[in-house]
Amino acid sequence: MSGYFTAYAEGIQDGSINQVTGVIKVALVRSYTFSASHKFVSDVTSAGGVVNGTPATLANRTVTGGVFDSDDPVIAATASTADHGLLLYQASAPTGGADVAATAQRLIGWFDTGTGLPIKPGTGNVTVAWPNTNPRILKVG
C-alpha cells in the first residue's frame, strides 16, 4: 500500500517539513508495512523496515501548484532480490543543513505499488524515475 504519512500534513502546516529548503531523501526499504501514524524514519526501522544501501538526496526540487518534483535520483543499493518500497523523508531540519538523527527525520511518503514497484535492486544501484505528469512525486490538494 502506498500512502502519505499523517505527520507529513502536520509538518507542512506547522513548518517542521519544508520541501524546498530541507534536505529531502528517498530510500529503498524492505520488510516494512505502511502505517500512516508513523512520524520518523526510526518508526519505520522499529517496525521492521530495513534501509538498503545509501538513500539519495533529491536534486533540483520544485513545488509548483501543489506539485512536488525533482530530478530522478539514483539510490546506491546493495544487491537484493527482496521486494523494496520507496521511503520519502526529510533528513535535515526544515532549513536544511546536515542530516539529523533518524528519530528526528520526518516521514513524507511511502510508495510500494505502481509502475515499477515494488523494486528488486538485483545488481545494485536503482534509478527512481518519477512520473513526468501529475502528480509527479506528489501533489497536495
Side-chain angles (χ1 to χ4, degrees):
M1 171 183 176
S2 296
Y4 302 108
F5 296 95
T6 303
Y8 166 62
E10 293 168 357
I12 293 295
Q13 292 172 334
D14 70 14
S16 59
I17 295 177
N18 188 315
Q19 293 165 210
V20 176
T21 58
V23 176
I24 307 298
K25 293 188 176 186
V26 63
L28 281 171
V29 176
R30 67 178 180 270
S31 304
Y32 173 65
T33 300
F34 175 76
S35 173
S37 66
H38 287 159
K39 186 172 184 176
F40 303 106
V41 170
S42 59
D43 295 332
V44 171
T45 56
S46 293
V50 178
V51 176
N52 180 341
T54 304
T57 301
L58 301 188
N60 298 314
R61 292 168 288 154
T62 59
V63 177
T64 306
V67 176
F68 178 57
D69 196 15
S70 79
D71 290 350
D72 294 344
V74 177
I75 301 172
T78 59
S80 174
T81 58
D83 287 346
H84 289 69
L86 297 170
L87 182 68
L88 189 66
Y89 64 98
Q90 179 176 276
S92 70
T95 55
D99 287 2
V100 296
T103 55
Q105 293 177 338
R106 297 293 301 265
L107 298 175
I108 296 173
W110 171 251
F111 309 95
D112 67 351
T113 57
T115 303
L117 294 168
I119 297 168
K120 294 180 190 298
T123 59
N125 294 352
V126 172
T127 299
V128 178
W130 301 121
N132 290 322
T133 58
N134 285 340
R136 300 194 183 265
I137 298 173
L138 61 88
K139 182 175 183 176
V140 176

